[in-house]
Amino acid sequence: MTPRQETIYKWGLYTLVTLLCCVSQGLVLQYVKVLGVFPFIYPILAAVLSTLEGPLSGMIYSLALGVICDLTISAPIPCFYTLIFPLAGLLAGTLARSVLSSGFLSALVTSAAAFLLTGAFHGLIFFFISRPAWAETAAVCGRELAVSIPWVLPVYFLFRFVCRRCFQKQSTRS
């Protein structure tokens, strides 16, 4: 396979894994309420892939994921996730490349950071529309993080499987 075909193959597999996670979110997870919230895996997807692929690729993936989220779920403002997820991807990719090693612990930390970034921007939006709700926003963000963080494990291993499978293909070609 040419390098271009390998890249298309890898990102095609990432797309299939993302689609699987999105379908799981829409058909199952949004109906599982714990502590008054349901697991929200989209920030985890953005953070984990950015941890494995780096800041630039992660930011582009997160931008596409944000567009999908904005088209399929409601948000406090139009294009909310399209604006937030690329920042989360850039943050996660940068942390994984410069501060942390890109392993499971890094995916866990960057996923938590993505949730905190999303929660902080929710709080800012409420602040700007004259509804200061920092305490409520922080409580919801904390509960959502606690309920969602166990999903980092399967998401990380799915994305890592794709990453390693494609790396092996590149290694055998050389």
Side-chain angles (χ1 to χ4, degrees), residues 51-164:
T51 298
L52 294 170
E53 289 293 326
L56 181 61
S57 298
M59 190 172 70
I60 294 168
Y61 169 83
S62 299
L63 176 67
L65 182 65
V67 169
I68 291 168
C69 285
D70 283 325
L71 291 173
T72 58
I73 60 177
S74 63
I77 62 168
C79 301
F80 178 77
Y81 295 112
T82 304
L83 297 171
I84 299 305
F85 285 173
L87 292 175
L90 179 64
L91 175 67
T94 303
L95 282 174
R97 293 292 187 248
S98 61
V99 178
L100 306 166
S101 63
S102 62
F104 176 71
L105 181 61
S106 178
L108 200 61
V109 169
T110 57
S111 294
F115 268 96
L116 294 176
L117 184 67
T118 305
F121 274 91
H122 271 110
L124 279 175
I125 288 170
F126 291 138
F127 177 76
F128 286 129
I129 60 173
S130 299
R131 288 181 25 204
W134 287 108
E136 184 180 330
T137 302
V140 170
C141 180
R143 289 193 317 255
E144 201 170 66
L145 175 62
V147 169
S148 302
I149 208 71
W151 291 97
V152 173
L153 187 66
V155 169
Y156 172 74
F157 284 112
L158 281 170
F159 280 134
R160 191 182 76 164
F161 174 76
V162 171
C163 186
R164 286 193 174 173

